[in-house]
Amino acid sequence: MRDVAIIGVGITNCGEIWEKSMRDMFVEAGLAAIDDASVDHIDSMYVGCMSGGLFVGQEHIGPLMADYLGQAPIPATRVESACASGGAALRCGYLDVASGASDVVLVGGVEKMNDVSGDDATYALATASDQEWEAFNGVTFPGLYAMMAVAHMHKYGTTPEQLAAVAVKNHDNGSLNPVAQFPMKITVEGVLNSVLVADPLHILDCSPVTDGAAAVILCPADMAAKLGGKTPVKIIGSGHATDTIALHSRADMTTLNAVTKSAGKAYEMSGKGPKDIDVCEVHDCFTIAEIIVSEDLGFFEKGKGGAAVEAGDTRIGGKIPLNTSGGLKSKGHPVGASGVAQAVEIVKQLRGEADKRQVKGAKVGMTQNMGGTGASSVVHVMEVM
Amino acid sequence: MRDVAIIGVGITNCGEIWEKSMRDMFVEAGLAAIDDASVDHIDSMYVGCMSGGLFVGQEHIGPLMADYLGQAPIPATRVESACASGGAALRCGYLDVASGASDVVLVGGVEKMNDVSGDDATYALATASDQEWEAFNGVTFPGLYAMMAVAHMHKYGTTPEQLAAVAVKNHDNGSLNPVAQFPMKITVEGVLNSVLVADPLHILDCSPVTDGAAAVILCPADMAAKLGGKTPVKIIGSGHATDTIALHSRADMTTLNAVTKSAGKAYEMSGKGPKDIDVCEVHDCFTIAEIIVSEDLGFFEKGKGGAAVEAGDTRIGGKIPLNTSGGLKSKGHPVGASGVAQAVEIVKQLRGEADKRQVKGAKVGMTQNMGGTGASSVVHVMEVM
């Protein structure tokens, strides 16, 4: 397998982007990444998108985006793994370059979620769970993650204040990110006094419904070294794993097997461990998700994730800064794009281009992107070249 | 890149499968392929599916299928390229093995299309076209292919009888395939007297709405040689290309650039040309599609595809047998599965297991799978090992 590097990144504003269509947003992010990489051609494309069909009535998204990006007739493939679609697309692009089939690959992600009603968005998102056994019976994603939160609180003593601390930290980071959907700072009291969606999760424990797109350009590491563009970032570990799609099929709701397995593979391949990671974007679709994932990635002892965030260990300047971008919570969660947006943030951090949210001296970064209640997880470890 | 072989295949009955869900059908095909390959483990999975969201309200299809196939926590990725989803999934699986990341890969495809109304199925299928410029304005797929047919008739003198001859030949082949949805034989007169859907296409010029699933098992060619199972079939060429998604953006509606480009790459990689192919499955979603594709693959001079089918050149025993399975027209068209089902047929032909529809002495086969009106096309050339 050839070594692979990221040589360009691009991202749109995240939020309610009424003036742009799904294809407009993808093209904006794609062109930004191509410009950032200073490449004159692309050999193939992968597009992460969760549900073009339900959100905007459009499938066949790979060729659509290649066409509008002016790249047809190159191969273009849409990849879906619910909210981990972007991470899964990144892995497909990585394998394409690693195999030798393509040299310059664009991996993008996009979701246009605000063109349907709130009810329809809730239905579309619920297709990431087991429809026959979960969603059709009425449970929604806040409900599923609330069950995980209650189990974690019961087993480990995690508190509502600790959940709220995740949101507060991510909004603090998001306030430093110009593309964030909700850059306002919030407080623990504010979270606890916000509307209860599914006990114990308040609305400020939940990531928003977001329009947005992100893209990265990959090429072989040796080519990246010769191109002489911006500092390349090498993908040194790639792990992808799955779990039962239904929450009720799992032995333990307080840990996510797909996260543990995907991280284990990425760590093994990279020769790095949790202690070597300088900055990490994790899948904080709900505050409890960030706590569980921070434990399952090995950053904290099992059950201590809540105390860690409360102690400031996951802040910029802390032991392991998580979600410097503001995460899905504050930056926003355009589901199919989120995994690619994570890679954009880590590349900026490792290049030293993260402005006020820069983690000083960051050399090794990681992304962890998750689908549903963790039925899929994709982890990439990256190192500055 | 490592050489890759197909070592196992499986397929369900195609048709209105009321008693089985999407996941049931996928598991049936997947287990059949695993059994056929006699492998004791799988390293990763790809699932072709066009619109789980619109057809059955289920996305996150990769981990769902890995879970129900008993394969979690292996990586499992859903791939979408409209009706070319299966072919695109096969290419992703091919690259995964070729890269060295995985050894044993299951590539499956599935679609459950009959659980929604006819109107809803028509809407779901139209998401393979450009929704903003085509489908939302009222054009459906029979309408789009009818425009291509009219253009081809105008430019090359192709006749309604020649279109009908494609359907007649494919139903003759389908009558020999035990999994075919419509195995009855039909006549040219029968096609011409059937209901007109979009002039000049009658209902018997159109492929049906189908439930079904198919799967193949891939591994490195050198491993296949050592396994000692059924005769392995090597993938010697893989080509994938795109075109404008909207028909009106193209300079010529009588040729499909993505087909020409994807075939060109697959021929170049394999060192084979049209004359070397003994048997081929092509994307006959409508009769005109098979005629255009048979020309664009280089089997016949441009404009002579209609005359060729009428002369029997594409029948079993003819110059180049096309769609020995019965094709999408008679075997059925479970859209996300069709590209994988094509590979199942070619492997059976190259192994000499195609029973009454066997092409004698077939050593080199090809599959051509297409999305929308040809905005994506995936071609694989295969050779018996």
Side-chain angles (χ1 to χ4, degrees), chain A residues 27-101:
Chain A
V27 168
E28 180 184 330
L31 289 178
I34 291 169
D35 188 51
D36 190 51
S38 296
V39 287
D40 59 7
H41 76 285
I42 296 172
D43 295 321
S44 81
M45 272 175 57
Y46 293 86
V47 183
C49 182
M50 175 179 165
S51 194
L54 291 170
F55 282 121
V56 294
Q58 179 74 61
E59 309 281 10
H60 215 187
I61 294 165
L64 173 73
M65 297 309 173
D67 179 12
Y68 275 74
L69 201 55
Q71 298 298 327
I74 68 167
T77 304
R78 181 262 190 114
V79 173
E80 182 268 324
S81 193
C83 306
S85 298
L90 180 57
R91 183 172 162 85
C92 283
Y94 166 79
L95 292 175
D96 195 344
V97 177
S99 76

Coordinates of all heavy atoms in Angstrom, one line a residue, chain A residues 27-101:
Chain A
V27 N -19.8 22.2 -4.6 CA -18.9 22.8 -5.5 C -18.0 23.8 -4.8 O -16.8 23.9 -5.0 CB -19.6 23.4 -6.7 CG1 -18.7 24.3 -7.5 CG2 -20.2 22.3 -7.6
E28 N -18.6 24.6 -3.9 CA -17.9 25.6 -3.1 C -16.8 25.0 -2.3 O -15.6 25.4 -2.4 CB -18.9 26.4 -2.2 CG -18.2 27.5 -1.4 CD -19.2 28.2 -0.4 OE1 -20.4 28.2 -0.7 OE2 -18.7 28.6 0.6
A29 N -17.1 23.9 -1.6 CA -16.1 23.2 -0.8 C -15.0 22.6 -1.7 O -13.8 22.6 -1.4 CB -16.7 22.2 0.1
G30 N -15.5 21.9 -2.7 CA -14.6 21.2 -3.6 C -13.6 22.2 -4.3 O -12.4 21.9 -4.4
L31 N -14.1 23.3 -4.8 CA -13.2 24.3 -5.5 C -12.2 24.9 -4.4 O -11.0 25.1 -4.8 CB -14.0 25.4 -6.1 CG -14.8 25.0 -7.4 CD1 -15.6 26.2 -7.9 CD2 -13.9 24.5 -8.5
A32 N -12.7 25.1 -3.2 CA -11.8 25.6 -2.2 C -10.6 24.6 -1.9 O -9.5 25.0 -1.8 CB -12.5 25.9 -0.9
A33 N -11.0 23.3 -1.9 CA -10.0 22.3 -1.6 C -9.0 22.2 -2.8 O -7.8 22.0 -2.6 CB -10.6 20.9 -1.3
I34 N -9.5 22.2 -4.0 CA -8.6 22.2 -5.2 C -7.7 23.3 -5.2 O -6.5 23.2 -5.5 CB -9.5 22.1 -6.5 CG1 -10.3 20.8 -6.6 CG2 -8.7 22.4 -7.7 CD1 -11.3 20.8 -7.7
D35 N -8.2 24.5 -4.9 CA -7.4 25.7 -4.9 C -6.3 25.6 -3.8 O -5.2 25.9 -4.0 CB -8.3 26.9 -4.6 CG -7.6 28.2 -4.7 OD1 -7.0 28.4 -5.7 OD2 -7.7 29.1 -3.8
D36 N -6.7 25.1 -2.6 CA -5.8 25.0 -1.5 C -4.7 24.0 -1.8 O -3.5 24.2 -1.4 CB -6.6 24.5 -0.3 CG -5.8 24.6 1.0 OD1 -5.2 25.6 1.3 OD2 -5.7 23.5 1.8
A37 N -5.0 23.0 -2.6 CA -4.0 22.0 -2.9 C -3.2 22.4 -4.1 O -2.1 21.8 -4.4 CB -4.7 20.6 -3.2
S38 N -3.7 23.4 -4.9 CA -3.0 23.8 -6.1 C -2.7 22.6 -7.1 O -1.7 22.5 -7.7 CB -1.6 24.5 -5.8 OG -1.8 25.6 -5.1
V39 N -3.7 21.8 -7.2 CA -3.6 20.7 -8.2 C -4.3 21.1 -9.5 O -5.2 21.9 -9.5 CB -4.2 19.3 -7.7 CG1 -3.3 18.7 -6.6 CG2 -5.6 19.5 -7.2
D40 N -3.8 20.5 -10.6 CA -4.4 20.9 -11.9 C -5.3 19.8 -12.5 O -5.9 20.0 -13.6 CB -3.3 21.3 -12.9 CG -2.4 20.1 -13.2 OD1 -2.6 19.0 -12.6 OD2 -1.4 20.3 -13.9
H41 N -5.5 18.7 -11.7 CA -6.5 17.7 -12.2 C -6.8 16.8 -11.0 O -6.1 16.8 -10.0 CB -5.8 16.8 -13.3 CG -4.9 15.8 -12.7 ND1 -3.6 16.2 -12.3 CD2 -5.0 14.5 -12.5 CE1 -3.0 15.1 -11.9 NE2 -3.8 14.1 -12.0
I42 N -7.9 16.1 -11.2 CA -8.3 15.1 -10.2 C -8.6 13.8 -10.9 O -9.1 13.8 -12.0 CB -9.7 15.6 -9.5 CG1 -9.4 16.8 -8.7 CG2 -10.2 14.5 -8.6 CD1 -10.7 17.4 -8.1
D43 N -8.2 12.7 -10.3 CA -8.3 11.4 -10.9 C -9.6 10.7 -10.6 O -10.2 9.9 -11.4 CB -7.2 10.4 -10.6 CG -5.9 11.0 -11.1 OD1 -5.8 11.5 -12.2 OD2 -4.8 10.9 -10.4
S44 N -10.1 10.9 -9.3 CA -11.4 10.3 -9.0 C -11.9 11.0 -7.7 O -11.2 11.8 -7.1 CB -11.2 8.8 -8.7 OG -10.7 8.5 -7.4
M45 N -13.2 10.7 -7.5 CA -13.9 11.5 -6.4 C -14.8 10.5 -5.5 O -15.3 9.5 -6.1 CB -14.9 12.4 -7.0 CG -14.4 13.8 -7.3 SD -15.6 14.8 -8.2 CE -17.0 14.8 -7.0
Y46 N -14.9 10.8 -4.3 CA -15.8 10.1 -3.4 C -16.6 11.2 -2.7 O -16.1 12.2 -2.2 CB -15.1 9.2 -2.4 CG -14.4 8.1 -3.1 CD1 -13.1 8.2 -3.6 CD2 -15.1 6.9 -3.2 CE1 -12.5 7.2 -4.3 CE2 -14.5 5.8 -3.9 CZ -13.2 6.0 -4.4 OH -12.6 4.9 -5.1
V47 N -17.9 11.0 -2.5 CA -18.8 12.0 -1.9 C -19.6 11.3 -0.8 O -20.3 10.4 -1.0 CB -19.8 12.5 -2.9 CG1 -20.7 13.6 -2.3 CG2 -19.2 13.0 -4.2
G48 N -19.4 11.8 0.4 CA -20.1 11.3 1.6 C -21.4 12.1 1.7 O -21.4 13.3 1.6
C49 N -22.5 11.3 1.7 CA -23.9 12.0 1.8 C -24.8 10.9 2.5 O -24.8 9.8 2.0 CB -24.4 12.4 0.5 SG -26.0 13.2 0.5
M50 N -25.5 11.3 3.5 CA -26.3 10.4 4.2 C -27.6 10.1 3.5 O -28.0 8.9 3.2 CB -26.7 10.8 5.6 CG -27.6 9.8 6.3 SD -28.1 10.2 8.0 CE -29.6 9.1 8.1
S51 N -28.4 11.1 3.2 CA -29.7 10.8 2.5 C -30.1 11.9 1.6 O -31.1 12.7 1.9 CB -30.8 10.6 3.6 OG -31.9 10.0 3.0
G52 N -29.5 12.0 0.5 CA -29.9 12.9 -0.6 C -31.3 12.6 -1.0 O -32.1 13.6 -1.3
G53 N -31.7 11.4 -0.9 CA -33.1 11.0 -1.3 C -34.1 11.6 -0.5 O -35.1 12.2 -0.9
L54 N -33.9 11.5 0.9 CA -35.0 12.0 1.8 C -34.9 13.5 2.0 O -35.9 14.1 2.3 CB -34.9 11.2 3.1 CG -35.4 9.7 3.0 CD1 -35.1 9.0 4.3 CD2 -36.9 9.6 2.7
F55 N -33.7 14.0 2.0 CA -33.5 15.5 2.3 C -33.8 16.4 1.1 O -34.4 17.4 1.3 CB -32.1 15.8 2.8 CG -31.9 15.4 4.3 CD1 -30.9 14.5 4.7 CD2 -32.7 15.9 5.3 CE1 -30.7 14.1 6.0 CE2 -32.5 15.6 6.6 CZ -31.5 14.7 7.0
V56 N -33.4 16.0 -0.1 CA -33.6 16.9 -1.2 C -34.1 16.1 -2.5 O -34.1 16.7 -3.6 CB -32.3 17.7 -1.6 CG1 -31.9 18.6 -0.5 CG2 -31.1 16.7 -1.9
G57 N -34.5 14.8 -2.4 CA -35.0 14.1 -3.5 C -34.0 13.9 -4.6 O -34.3 13.9 -5.8
Q58 N -32.7 13.7 -4.2 CA -31.7 13.5 -5.2 C -30.7 12.4 -4.8 O -30.1 12.5 -3.7 CB -30.9 14.8 -5.4 CG -29.7 14.7 -6.4 CD -30.2 14.7 -7.8 OE1 -30.8 15.6 -8.3 NE2 -29.9 13.6 -8.6
E59 N -30.7 11.3 -5.6 CA -29.6 10.3 -5.4 C -28.7 10.5 -6.6 O -28.7 11.5 -7.3 CB -30.2 8.9 -5.4 CG -31.3 8.7 -4.4 CD -30.9 8.5 -2.9 OE1 -29.7 8.7 -2.6 OE2 -31.8 8.2 -2.1
H60 N -27.8 9.5 -6.9 CA -26.9 9.6 -8.0 C -25.9 10.7 -7.8 O -25.6 11.5 -8.7 CB -27.6 9.7 -9.3 CG -26.9 9.0 -10.5 ND1 -27.3 9.0 -11.8 CD2 -25.8 8.1 -10.5 CE1 -26.5 8.3 -12.5 NE2 -25.6 7.7 -11.8
I61 N -25.5 10.9 -6.6 CA -24.8 12.1 -6.1 C -23.4 12.2 -6.6 O -22.9 13.3 -6.8 CB -25.0 12.2 -4.6 CG1 -26.5 12.3 -4.2 CG2 -24.2 13.3 -4.0 CD1 -26.8 12.0 -2.8
G62 N -22.7 11.0 -6.8 CA -21.3 11.1 -7.3 C -21.2 11.8 -8.6 O -20.5 12.8 -8.7
P63 N -21.9 11.3 -9.7 CA -21.8 11.9 -11.0 C -22.3 13.3 -11.0 O -21.8 14.2 -11.7 CB -22.6 11.0 -11.9 CG -23.2 10.0 -11.1 CD -22.6 10.0 -9.7
L64 N -23.4 13.6 -10.2 CA -23.9 14.9 -10.1 C -22.9 15.9 -9.7 O -22.7 17.0 -10.3 CB -25.1 15.0 -9.1 CG -25.7 16.4 -8.8 CD1 -26.4 16.9 -10.0 CD2 -26.5 16.4 -7.6
M65 N -22.1 15.6 -8.6 CA -21.1 16.5 -8.1 C -19.9 16.6 -9.0 O -19.3 17.6 -9.2 CB -20.7 16.0 -6.7 CG -21.9 16.1 -5.7 SD -22.7 17.7 -5.7 CE -24.1 17.3 -4.5
A66 N -19.6 15.4 -9.7 CA -18.4 15.5 -10.6 C -18.8 16.4 -11.8 O -18.0 17.2 -12.2 CB -18.1 14.1 -11.1
D67 N -20.0 16.3 -12.2 CA -20.5 17.1 -13.3 C -20.5 18.6 -12.9 O -19.8 19.4 -13.6 CB -22.0 16.7 -13.6 CG -22.7 17.5 -14.7 OD1 -22.0 18.3 -15.4 OD2 -23.9 17.4 -14.9
Y68 N -21.0 19.0 -11.8 CA -21.1 20.4 -11.4 C -19.7 20.9 -11.0 O -19.5 22.2 -11.0 CB -22.2 20.6 -10.4 CG -23.5 20.8 -11.1 CD1 -24.2 19.7 -11.7 CD2 -24.1 22.1 -11.2 CE1 -25.4 19.9 -12.4 CE2 -25.3 22.3 -12.0 CZ -25.9 21.2 -12.5 OH -27.1 21.4 -13.2
L69 N -18.8 20.0 -10.6 CA -17.5 20.5 -10.3 C -16.6 20.5 -11.5 O -15.4 20.8 -11.5 CB -16.9 19.5 -9.2 CG -15.7 20.0 -8.4 CD1 -16.0 21.2 -7.6 CD2 -15.3 18.9 -7.4
G70 N -17.2 20.2 -12.7 CA -16.5 20.2 -14.0 C -15.5 19.1 -14.1 O -14.5 19.2 -14.8
Q71 N -15.7 18.0 -13.4 CA -14.7 16.9 -13.4 C -15.1 15.7 -14.2 O -14.3 14.7 -14.3 CB -14.4 16.5 -11.9 CG -13.8 17.6 -11.1 CD -12.4 18.1 -11.7 OE1 -11.7 17.3 -12.2 NE2 -12.2 19.4 -11.5
A72 N -16.4 15.6 -14.6 CA -16.7 14.4 -15.4 C -15.8 14.4 -16.6 O -15.4 15.5 -17.1 CB -18.2 14.6 -15.9
P73 N -15.3 13.2 -17.1 CA -15.8 11.9 -16.8 C -15.0 11.1 -15.8 O -15.0 9.9 -15.8 CB -15.5 11.2 -18.2 CG -14.2 11.8 -18.7 CD -14.3 13.2 -18.1
I74 N -14.4 11.7 -14.8 CA -13.7 10.9 -13.8 C -14.6 10.1 -13.0 O -15.8 10.4 -12.8 CB -12.8 11.8 -12.9 CG1 -13.7 12.7 -11.9 CG2 -11.8 12.6 -13.6 CD1 -12.9 13.3 -10.8
P75 N -14.2 8.9 -12.4 CA -15.0 8.1 -11.5 C -15.4 9.0 -10.3 O -14.6 9.7 -9.8 CB -14.1 7.0 -11.1 CG -13.0 6.9 -12.1 CD -12.8 8.4 -12.6
A76 N -16.7 8.9 -9.9 CA -17.2 9.6 -8.8 C -18.2 8.7 -8.1 O -19.2 8.3 -8.7 CB -17.8 10.9 -9.2
T77 N -18.0 8.4 -6.8 CA -18.8 7.5 -6.1 C -19.3 8.1 -4.8 O -18.6 8.6 -4.0 CB -17.9 6.2 -5.7 OG1 -17.4 5.7 -6.9 CG2 -18.7 5.1 -5.0
R78 N -20.6 7.9 -4.6 CA -21.2 8.4 -3.3 C -21.2 7.2 -2.3 O -21.5 6.1 -2.6 CB -22.7 8.7 -3.5 CG -23.4 9.3 -2.3 CD -24.3 8.2 -1.6 NE -25.1 8.7 -0.6 CZ -26.5 8.6 -0.7 NH1 -27.1 8.1 -1.7 NH2 -27.2 9.0 0.3
V79 N -20.8 7.6 -1.1 CA -20.6 6.6 0.0 C -21.5 7.0 1.1 O -21.6 8.2 1.5 CB -19.1 6.7 0.5 CG1 -18.9 5.8 1.7 CG2 -18.2 6.2 -0.7
E80 N -22.2 6.0 1.7 CA -23.1 6.3 2.8 C -22.9 5.4 4.0 O -22.8 4.2 3.9 CB -24.6 6.2 2.3 CG -25.6 6.5 3.3 CD -26.1 5.3 4.2 OE1 -26.2 4.2 3.6 OE2 -26.4 5.5 5.4
S81 N -22.8 6.0 5.2 CA -22.8 5.3 6.4 C -23.4 6.2 7.5 O -22.8 6.4 8.5 CB -21.3 4.9 6.8 OG -21.4 3.9 7.8
A82 N -24.6 6.7 7.1 CA -25.3 7.6 8.0 C -24.4 8.8 8.3 O -23.8 9.3 7.4 CB -25.9 6.9 9.2
C83 N -24.3 9.1 9.6 CA -23.5 10.3 10.0 C -22.0 10.1 9.9 O -21.2 11.0 10.0 CB -23.9 10.7 11.4 SG -25.7 11.0 11.6
A84 N -21.6 8.8 9.6 CA -20.2 8.5 9.3 C -19.9 8.5 7.8 O -18.9 8.0 7.4 CB -19.8 7.2 10.0
S85 N -20.8 9.0 7.0 CA -20.7 8.9 5.5 C -19.4 9.6 5.1 O -18.6 9.1 4.2 CB -21.9 9.6 4.8 OG -23.0 8.9 5.1
G86 N -19.1 10.8 5.7 CA -17.9 11.5 5.4 C -16.6 10.7 5.7 O -15.7 10.6 4.9
G87 N -16.6 10.1 6.9 CA -15.4 9.3 7.3 C -15.3 8.1 6.4 O -14.1 7.7 6.0
A88 N -16.4 7.5 6.0 CA -16.3 6.3 5.2 C -15.8 6.7 3.8 O -15.1 5.9 3.1 CB -17.7 5.6 5.1
A89 N -16.3 7.9 3.3 CA -15.8 8.4 2.0 C -14.3 8.6 2.0 O -13.6 8.3 1.1 CB -16.5 9.6 1.6
L90 N -13.8 9.2 3.2 CA -12.4 9.4 3.3 C -11.6 8.1 3.3 O -10.6 8.0 2.6 CB -12.1 10.2 4.6 CG -10.7 10.5 5.0 CD1 -10.0 11.3 3.9 CD2 -10.5 11.2 6.3
R91 N -12.1 7.1 3.9 CA -11.5 5.8 3.8 C -11.5 5.2 2.4 O -10.4 4.7 2.0 CB -12.1 4.8 4.8 CG -11.4 3.5 4.9 CD -12.0 2.6 6.0 NE -11.6 1.2 5.7 CZ -10.4 0.6 6.1 NH1 -9.6 1.4 6.8 NH2 -10.2 -0.6 5.9
C92 N -12.5 5.3 1.7 CA -12.6 4.9 0.3 C -11.6 5.6 -0.6 O -10.9 5.0 -1.4 CB -14.0 5.0 -0.3 SG -15.2 3.8 0.3
G93 N -11.5 6.9 -0.4 CA -10.5 7.7 -1.1 C -9.1 7.3 -0.8 O -8.2 7.2 -1.6
Y94 N -8.9 7.1 0.5 CA -7.6 6.6 1.0 C -7.2 5.3 0.3 O -6.0 5.2 -0.1 CB -7.6 6.5 2.5 CG -6.5 5.7 3.1 CD1 -5.3 6.3 3.3 CD2 -6.6 4.4 3.5 CE1 -4.2 5.6 3.9 CE2 -5.6 3.7 4.0 CZ -4.3 4.3 4.2 OH -3.3 3.6 4.7
L95 N -8.1 4.3 0.3 CA -7.8 3.0 -0.3 C -7.6 3.2 -1.8 O -6.7 2.5 -2.4 CB -9.0 2.1 -0.1 CG -9.1 1.6 1.4 CD1 -10.4 0.7 1.5 CD2 -7.9 0.9 1.9
D96 N -8.3 4.1 -2.5 CA -8.1 4.3 -3.9 C -6.7 4.8 -4.2 O -6.0 4.2 -5.1 CB -9.1 5.3 -4.4 CG -9.3 5.4 -5.9 OD1 -8.5 4.9 -6.6 OD2 -10.3 6.0 -6.4
V97 N -6.2 5.8 -3.4 CA -4.8 6.2 -3.6 C -3.8 5.2 -3.2 O -2.8 4.9 -3.9 CB -4.6 7.5 -2.9 CG1 -3.1 8.0 -3.0 CG2 -5.5 8.6 -3.3
A98 N -4.1 4.5 -2.0 CA -3.2 3.5 -1.5 C -3.0 2.4 -2.5 O -1.9 1.8 -2.6 CB -3.7 3.0 -0.1
S99 N -4.1 2.0 -3.2 CA -4.0 0.9 -4.1 C -3.2 1.2 -5.3 O -2.7 0.3 -6.0 CB -5.4 0.5 -4.6 OG -5.9 1.4 -5.5
G100 N -3.0 2.5 -5.7 CA -2.3 2.8 -6.9 C -3.2 3.1 -8.1 O -2.8 3.5 -9.1
A101 N -4.5 2.9 -7.9 CA -5.5 3.1 -9.0 C -5.6 4.6 -9.3 O -5.8 4.9 -10.5 CB -6.9 2.5 -8.6

